[in-house]
Amino acid sequence: MLSRSTVLGGLLALAGLADSKVVKTRSGKVQGDQCSTTDVNYFYSIPYANPPVGERRFAPPEPYYNSRRVINATAPAPACIQFSSLFGENTATSEDCLFLDIWAPASATPDSKLPVKVWVYGGSNEGGGISDPTYNGCFSAVDSIVVSINYRVGPLGFLALSDLGLTGNYGIMDQLLGLRWVQDNIAGFGGDPRNVLLFGQSAGAVDSFVIASLPEAPELMRAAALESGAGRDLATVDDAKDWYSEFLYAMNCTEHDLSCLRNAQVDTIQAAVAAMPSSDIITVNTALVNNGTRSSWSPLIDGKVIKEQPSTVGVRVPSIVGANTREGSIFTLGSYVTVWKGKAPSQSDYYDFLNLNFGPLAAQVNETLPLASTFNGSTLTAMEVILTQVSYQCPTYRALQKAEEKGIPVWSYRFAHEPSCAWYGQIKADYIPLLGATHTSEIPFVFNFTSSMPPPDGNCTFTKAEQAMAHDMSRAWTNMAQTGKPGDENTWPAWASKESKGVVLNDAMEVGVVDYTVCDFWGQINEGLNEYWRSSQA
Ligand SMILES: *[C@@H]1O[C@H](CO)[C@@H](O)[C@H](O)[C@H]1NC(C)=O
Ligand SMILES: *[C@@H]1O[C@H](CO)[C@@H](O)[C@H](O)[C@H]1NC(C)=O
Ligand SMILES: *[C@@H]1O[C@H](CO)[C@@H](O)[C@H](O)[C@H]1NC(C)=O
Ligand SMILES: *[C@@H]1O[C@H](CO)[C@@H](O)[C@H](O)[C@H]1NC(C)=O
Ligand SMILES: *[C@@H]1O[C@H](CO)[C@@H](O)[C@H](O)[C@H]1NC(C)=O
Ligand SMILES: *[C@@H]1O[C@H](CO)[C@@H](O)[C@H](O)[C@H]1NC(C)=O
Ligand SMILES: CC(=O)N[C@H]1CO[C@H](CO)[C@@H](O)[C@@H]1O
């Protein structure tokens, strides 16, 4: 005989089946909706932390619990407060921004145990947000769950000043708390918490690389995919003191007054960031940039959350680590328009660029890579190539080498394809040939975007070959979540320094050599500048 509770339980399970758009979490009962174009449900604006405002500004995030609340999960979340123009969001923003979005196949049930892909957006740790239409999961969550985490950026995410007891890394702690939320809640959406991939691009890869190097990484994720940003050295909180103090001065706050920072209006903070020293010269990722921080806002070695240099520890989970052929072009084109007003930068602009970024080693760079013979005399090409290699390809190479040394399996790629459609609304179609396979150009492929480009409602469609490549790339990322490998040895061989094999994505995803030979030279320059910086601080 069936007991009453079994019958009721059965009915409730049926009710659950009937509506996969309603899921219970520790943050509340989440009511989502279905994507208009695919059989995927979305759940927007799920709070995973208490609002990081007031006393919680410049502080670690606190987990949010409110299981009795009903959340209308159909309205896009605001982005965190933005501090960047190039990759800043033009959607709504709020300091109350610690939300995450989830996409799941409409057919998913709590028994599905699907692989989970958790996205960390880029934007120099100064901008970016989960509601950006280019990061929409409706096209890639066909065979997996996609999660996207908002995290604090700029000073609100990374300000570190020992005198005020601020150790920075709030944005990193947001991402870690988001990953813990995924562990505790994703099964309800049909995900398997044991099969989580953390994937990020640019600053999102910088941050994901840091997280993948932490001792707790293996509990939070099975694998990582690091697109254009892995392997960089981090500054310490001490190294960053001069640069971060510039923010305090620009705020008109004193070294002993945290309440001055906590009580300030958000637009005052934005004005202070805009007033910090900056130069028109393009910077690359070296120890000298921004007086030792390497980039303006960044995770730092704080002795608490990040105890050791991530590039020395290496990733602790299997990882895809790659970069694009022309990363630098989007940055040099930006300066070409705004700084050089459509003219080629002069030789003296180029030497200023070398001196600012390489200081005492500028002459060595200049002699090893003469402008005339290496770059055909083009200062613009020279800056683009140096930026591509120093900030992206060669840190990527060091991350691969470190993983090999530690016995962690890694797979590499070089994205070499010029997309036929724009992937961000701000990119004009005319610019695409000038940009080529630039920074961010692999993103639509990883998200399996192939039509209505640029998102959300453009009129450009990818070619058949591009559609196949998008399918292959998003499938490889899902495989990574599910099995810890992007494919088999025939489709994507693991990387080893000896042959440096991986995949090259030009007209298709094909096995090939991912060439890092230029990185032997840049590795020496990186070490030389790290040593120079350390000795200048002694
Ligand atoms: C949920 O939010 C959407 C979008 O803001 C709105 O249109 C809808 O009316 C809301 N639903 C409820 C039940 O509040
Ligand atoms: C990519 O999107 C296409 C539809 O545009 C879909 O048929 C395919 O299953 C998707 N592939 C992956 C791996 O997400
Ligand atoms: C700091 O003070 C200066 C001088 O009074 C003023 O110009 C500036 O706007 C102030 N900065 C902020 C962020 O309020
Ligand atoms: C680079 O080399 C050229 C030609 O030898 C020289 O004129 C220039 O001053 C050098 N620049 C730097 C930054 O070393
Ligand atoms: C080098 O520059 C010359 C003159 O501007 C041009 O004709 C040639 O195509 C360039 N070569 C390459 C490899 O870019
Ligand atoms: C596609 O969109 C662009 C930019 O909005 C517009 O200029 C063009 O006319 C559109 N083309 C078609 C065929 O609708
Ligand atoms: C970008 C930046 O912060 N540069 C500063 C580095 O430090 C010197 C003084 O040592 C300043 O003059 C620069 O403005």
Side-chain angles (χ1 to χ4, degrees):
M1 207 180 93
L2 287 174
S3 79
R4 193 184 160 108
S5 70
T6 313
V7 173
L8 272 181
L11 283 176
L12 283 175
L14 267 182
L17 269 186
D19 197 356
S20 58
K21 296 197 278 295
V22 180
V23 178
K24 276 191 189 164
T25 74
R26 74 156 198 229
S27 304
K29 195 197 234 179
V30 186
Q31 297 190 326
D33 207 345
Q34 188 170 338
C35 299
S36 57
T37 44
T38 55
D39 290 336
V40 170
N41 290 335
Y42 62 83
F43 305 87
Y44 289 160
S45 313
I46 306 172
Y48 67 89
N50 287 324
V53 299
E55 292 299 300
R56 290 192 289 262
R57 180 187 276 178
F58 306 121
E62 294 167 356
Y64 176 87
Y65 296 95
N66 190 351
S67 56
R68 279 177 305 178
R69 181 179 165 197
V70 176
I71 299 171
N72 179 354
T74 61
C80 293
I81 301 300
Q82 304 285 292
F83 296 93
S84 146
S85 47
L86 183 54
F87 292 110
E89 297 299 314
N90 41 30
T91 55
T93 61
S94 170
E95 194 174 3
D96 176 5
C97 64
L98 298 184
F99 302 99
L100 50 81
D101 286 350
I102 296 175
W103 290 263
S107 60
T109 72
D111 297 325
S112 297
K113 300 214 177 349
L114 293 169
V116 181
K117 305 193 277 191
V118 180
W119 170 246
V120 182
Y121 52 78
S124 308
N125 281 317
E126 302 173 352
I130 56 177
S131 300
D132 190 311
T134 298
Y135 312 147
N136 178 349
C138 287
F139 308 98
S140 51
V142 293
D143 52 4
S144 58
I145 310 288
V146 174
V147 182
S148 191
I149 305 175
N150 255 357
Y151 60 95
R152 287 170 281 176
V153 294
L156 295 173
F158 293 94
L159 181 67
L161 284 166
S162 326
D163 291 347
L164 287 171
L166 301 182
T167 50
N169 294 328
Y170 316 113
I172 297 291
M173 290 186 260
D174 294 344
Q175 294 160 13
L176 284 166
L177 186 58
L179 283 166
R180 291 200 181 96
W181 192 97
V182 167
Q183 285 299 307
D184 295 344
N185 296 279
I186 207 65
F189 294 84
D192 185 346
R194 290 166 309 173
N195 287 342
V196 171
L197 171 78
L198 182 66
F199 71 122
Q201 184 272 345
S202 192
V206 171
D207 299 352
S208 298
F209 173 72
V210 167
I211 288 179
S213 78
L214 299 179
E216 59 264 48
E219 294 155 29
L220 297 172
M221 64 182 96
R222 170 169 200 155
L226 309 169
E227 305 167 34
S228 312
R232 293 186 184 178
D233 300 334
L234 296 190
T236 63
V237 171
D238 257 6
D239 290 330
K241 187 168 189 234
D242 287 349
W243 169 255
Y244 284 22
S245 298
E246 298 281 4
F247 172 72
L248 201 62
Y249 306 144
M251 285 290 293
N252 300 321
C253 293
T254 72
E255 273 151 52
H256 308 289
D257 190 2
L258 185 52
S259 65
C260 174
L261 294 176
R262 285 222 168 109
N263 295 336
Q265 298 290 319
V266 159
D267 47 9
T268 305
I269 298 178
Q270 287 173 309
V273 168
M276 288 170 75
S278 71
S279 102
D280 276 349
I281 302 172
I282 289 177
T283 55
V284 302
N285 192 250
T286 74
L288 307 184
V289 165
N290 285 346
N291 290 337
T293 56
R294 290 174 170 268
S295 65
S296 34
W297 301 100
S298 169
L300 299 170
I301 298 170
D302 63 356
K304 283 165 47 180
V305 180
I306 307 174
K307 295 198 176 71
E308 294 174 90
Q309 177 65 265
S311 61
T312 307
V313 178
V315 291
R316 296 182 197 250
V317 292
S319 298
I320 292 172
V321 199
N324 303 353
T325 44
R326 293 190 56 200
E327 298 276 1
S329 63
I330 201 164
F331 302 100
T332 50
L333 185 72
S335 292
Y336 182 74
V337 173
T338 59
V339 180
W340 303 306
K341 312 282 179 212
K343 289 200 219 121
S346 66
Q347 289 210 350
S348 101
D349 289 332
Y350 178 59
Y351 298 139
D352 289 348
F353 161 86
L354 291 182
N355 285 324
L356 177 80
N357 288 295
F358 302 105
L361 302 187
Q364 192 189 339
V365 172
N366 190 33
E367 275 156 31
T368 310
L369 307 169
L371 185 57
S373 53
T374 314
F375 305 110
N376 201 14
S378 166
T379 50
L380 200 61
T381 304
M383 289 190 211
E384 179 193 314
V385 170
I386 290 175
L387 177 50
T388 298
Q389 296 176 348
V390 173
S391 294
Y392 300 101
Q393 291 172 354
C394 297
T396 291
Y397 179 55
R398 295 197 287 276
L400 291 165
Q401 285 177 305
K402 183 57 70 176
E404 178 179 54
E405 182 192 318
K406 300 267 169 127
I408 303 288
V410 277
W411 289 264
S412 192
Y413 70 86
R414 177 75 43 89
F415 187 84
H417 179 78
E418 177 187 306
S420 63
C421 302
W423 53 100
Y424 285 125
Q426 303 93 308
I427 296 178
K428 293 199 185 95
D430 300 354
Y431 290 166
I432 294 175
L434 302 173
L435 294 169
T438 193
H439 195 55
T440 71
S441 61
E442 87 293 354
I443 294 175
F445 295 87
V446 172
F447 276 87
N448 194 30
F449 258 99
T450 54
S451 60
S452 303
M453 308 270 289
D457 53 9
N459 58 21
C460 184
T461 301
F462 269 170
T463 64
K464 281 273 174 295
E466 286 174 317
Q467 290 175 23
M469 203 155 77
H471 184 80
D472 288 349
M473 265 185 113
S474 55
R475 185 71 229 171
W477 267 231
T478 300
N479 290 341
M480 198 67 192
Q482 189 156 25
T483 67
K485 294 179 182 173
D488 61 33
E489 275 296 301
N490 300 318
T491 54
W492 194 335
W495 186 86
S497 52
K498 196 153 165 271
E499 292 181 299
S500 202
K501 274 200 196 158
V503 292
V504 177
L505 299 118
N506 203 334
D507 297 326
M509 187 168 119
E510 281 173 343
V511 173
V513 171
V514 186
D515 188 4
Y516 291 108
T517 45
V518 292
C519 295
D520 291 332
F521 170 67
W522 289 121
Q524 288 166 28
I525 296 291
N526 188 61
E527 257 176 53
L529 291 178
N530 283 349
E531 236 156 72
Y532 172 79
W533 173 258
R534 271 194 298 274
S535 63
S536 72
Q537 296 303 293

